Amino acid sequence: VQLQASGGGLVQAGGSLRLSCANSGRTVSSYVMGWFRQAPGKEREFVARISGSGGSTYYSDSVKGRFTIPSDNAKNTVYLQMNSLKPEDTAVYYCAAGVVVTNAPGLYGSWGQGTLVTVSS
């Protein structure tokens, strides 16, 4: 599995960005696909995940209601749609693939390279 994350950038508070994570392996519905983020000086934290062919989703409390994690199986791509962005959302965002339905980053076996999101106030 090789993951390629893209779509980061600079956005003003209240704005939107969409991150993409392309999976070169099997279709994304074959995995648990997660998004994580790491701000400077902080640990990597769970943001959202989608799992199974039914596309069950789960979000951290900090992004619930603002972020969604749609997927496109035909394109083998998972997205992170980020709306109503806040300065505290500033971080490097990583996508990951695993086989266990979990929020724990250590249980995801494959990681993308990270894409920087900066939200200005």
Side-chain angles (χ1 to χ4, degrees), residues 9 11 13-14 16 19 23 26-27 41 52 56-57 60 67-68 88 91 114 116 120:
V11 64
S16 298
L19 307 183
N23 183 348
R26 297 163 61 184
T27 58
S56 176
T57 58
S60 69
F67 292 10
T68 59
E88 51 263 44
L116 177 63
S120 63

Side-chain angles (χ1 to χ4, degrees), residues 49-108:
R49 59 171 162 82
I50 185 168
S51 57
S53 59
S56 176
T57 58
Y58 188 82
Y59 302 92
S60 69
D61 288 343
S62 61
V63 308
K64 196 176 299 181
R66 299 188 297 122
F67 292 10
T68 59
I69 183 171
S71 65
D72 187 334
N73 288 333
K75 295 183 178 180
N76 276 357
T77 299
V78 171
Y79 305 94
L80 186 67
Q81 178 64 46
M82 305 185 294
N83 301 325
S84 302
L85 283 160
K86 304 175 181 180
E88 51 263 44
D89 294 318
T90 295
V92 177
Y93 284 71
Y94 299 88
C95 63
V99 296
V100 178
V101 180
T102 180
N103 300 344
L107 295 181
Y108 285 77

